[in-house]
Amino acid sequence: MSSTPIKILLVEDDELFRLGLRVRLQQEPGLEIVAEAEDGETAIEVVKQTPLDVVLLDVGLPGIGGIEACRQIKQENPSLPILVLTSHSQKPLITRLIDAGAQGYCLKGIAAEKLVLALRSVAAGASWWDATATKEIRSSLSLEASPPEFENITKLANPLTQREHEILSLLAAGKTNQEIAHALYIAPGTVRVHIHAILQKLEVSDRTQAVVVALQKRLIKTIPALKNEDE
């Protein structure tokens, strides 16, 4: 583990919850709460002035709200990871968070050890999507583009080959390398080579991020499941 602590901005409007969260996270070696904010506007200003490794962000904030704060922070700091921690689990929320650029989503009530793992994951460049929440909303995560519109967008933005696109769609469906190999009648080793190429072309570090980026770029229309696992 690096000797340099992960610098965290904690954005939460519930003072008691924020205090409890800060005390708990500060007990973890390698984590440091360097700043706090009670609303989105303050969070945006703090990000401009403070070196950070990750933002832990509530959605239900006063003022511009957490989703808009996430969007503005990512516009100015595309490489700064944002992990959303919220009590909200409405079905459209995940899609909006993906569009805003969030790297992950956890429901409040998550075990402290899992939250710590999620923070370390997003700070390291991976992504983290709460399994319970994604299971609840996955059937509604679809893009409503018509086929002609989808085809035009894909032609403009898709850096992948036809085979890589097929494999990406199967990744989005939650298929393992072995299942993909069986479905496409190719060797598992060939699947791994294609996945490696997909991750490089989309400039991501794991298959979950690849699916999220594919959604953002409209490379796939649906996402049946998101998994917290690497290639």
Side-chain angles (χ1 to χ4, degrees), residues 21 25 56 83 85 106 110-119:
L21 197 55
L25 292 178
L56 183 58
L83 176 65
L85 177 65
C106 297
I110 184 176
E113 311 82 65
K114 286 190 176 181
L115 179 58
V116 170
L117 179 59
L119 283 166

Side-chain angles (χ1 to χ4, degrees), residues 138-139 141-143 150 169 172-173 211 215 219-225:
R138 64 189 179 189
S139 62
L141 278 176
S142 59
L143 301 172
F150 177 73
S169 297
V211 173
L215 273 175
L219 303 185
I220 54 177
K221 292 189 288 183
T222 61
I223 176 170

